[in-house]
Amino acid sequence: MNKENLDSAAGAEVYSDKTLRIYDLLVLRFSNTFLWRCSASKALSFFNRNVSANHLDVGVGSGYFLEHGRFPDKTRLVLMDLNETCLDYAKARSVVADVSTAQTDVLEPIEWTDAKFDSINLGYLLHCLPGSMKQKYMVFENLRPLLNDGGILFGSTILGEGQKPNWAARKLMGFYNSKGIFSNAQDNLDDLRSILETYFRDVTIEVVGEVALFKGRV
């Protein structure tokens, strides 16, 4: 992979404080329901089924899942994102008391000296990262060592290839890709499955509309 051509900043910089205030309504309520055809409630249910009491959330967005998710009692929660504004915004919304943050680029090797995790979530992150799906393998390579034995990595991503989006979804996806907000024009189910099976066992992927809900275990 030519890392010189992969800059995570474009996908992260769009999330300003102003953007985050309308994110839930614009993205989670409207776009997810009518364009990507995977409702916020569907994604939240998937999150609740997989989150553990020792959890790392990567690419936290507005913190919607951290406010509305069902966490076990005495959960240890760490938030990881390149955007410090997202980290602060999501932490403030979290219903978990024990929460800390780590400003990190997941496309770079992660130096982690604290305790590992039983679950890691990549919620709507992969389609915002630069490069093709095959190039995004670095995310899994960098995060896998942060999981305890038997731990689960799960997440969701919008596929840009091999699906049948409606007209409005195609137009918005094209616009986001042109601005560097998305980089998923070549992201497809086969490549996602291949990468996950390289790093994890018991891989499952459910496709809902244009969204892949995936998980794998170490």
Side-chain angles (χ1 to χ4, degrees):
M1 178 175 67
N2 184 357
K3 294 189 68 177
E4 293 181 358
N5 293 331
L6 297 183
D7 182 0
S8 309
E13 288 175 350
V14 68
Y15 296 102
S16 64
D17 187 68
K18 181 179 179 180
T19 303
L20 290 170
R21 286 198 296 269
I22 62 172
Y23 182 92
D24 289 3
L25 179 62
L26 183 63
V27 176
L28 295 173
R29 297 300 182 188
F30 180 77
S31 293
N32 281 15
T33 300
F34 300 107
L35 303 185
W36 317 135
R37 297 182 295 151
C38 179
S39 67
S41 60
K42 177 75 174 181
L44 180 60
S45 177
F46 180 72
F47 178 91
N48 287 335
R49 291 198 303 271
N50 291 288
V51 71
S52 73
N54 182 20
H55 180 70
L56 171 64
D57 216 74
V58 182
V60 295
S62 69
Y64 174 87
F65 296 98
L66 307 178
E67 180 178 8
H68 298 283
R70 294 197 304 269
F71 291 89
D73 292 339
K74 299 181 180 179
T75 292
R76 170 202 176 211
L77 175 63
V78 176
L79 312 182
M80 184 177 286
D81 202 294
L82 183 59
N83 187 317
E84 188 174 7
T85 301
C86 286
L87 289 173
D88 292 342
Y89 198 93
K91 182 178 180 179
R93 293 186 71 178
S94 174
V95 296
V96 176
D98 181 11
V99 54
S100 58
T101 63
Q103 188 175 9
T104 304
D105 185 347
V106 292
L107 289 176
E108 299 290 339
I110 300 170
E111 296 183 5
W112 192 260
T113 57
D114 291 343
K116 296 184 179 183
F117 303 93
D118 296 324
S119 61
I120 297 177
N121 175 45
L122 306 178
Y124 291 105
L125 174 66
L126 290 179
H127 59 260
C128 295
L129 296 178
S132 67
M133 182 64 77
K134 289 182 179 180
Q135 291 175 302
K136 296 172 186 178
Y137 78 92
M138 288 299 300
V139 176
F140 303 109
E141 184 164 300
N142 293 336
L143 288 173
R144 190 183 189 279
L146 276 61
L147 278 168
N148 288 315
D149 290 343
I152 292 177
L153 182 142
F154 66 98
S156 51
T157 189
I158 300 169
L159 299 173
E161 187 177 77
Q163 306 306 111
K164 296 180 179 180
N166 59 40
W167 178 86
R170 289 197 305 272
K171 289 296 184 181
L172 186 60
M173 199 179 301
F175 173 76
Y176 282 168
N177 274 273
S178 72
K179 298 297 183 181
I181 299 169
F182 281 10
S183 184
N184 71 336
Q186 298 177 6
D187 287 4
N188 61 69
L189 181 60
D190 289 342
D191 287 345
L192 175 60
R193 185 180 300 279
S194 176
I195 294 171
L196 287 169
E197 290 179 345
T198 299
Y199 292 97
F200 304 97
R201 59 185 174 87
D202 302 333
V203 170
T204 63
I205 305 175
E206 178 186 5
V207 178
V208 182
E210 320 313 321
V211 177
L213 304 172
F214 58 86
K215 66 178 179 178
R217 188 181 300 274
V218 297

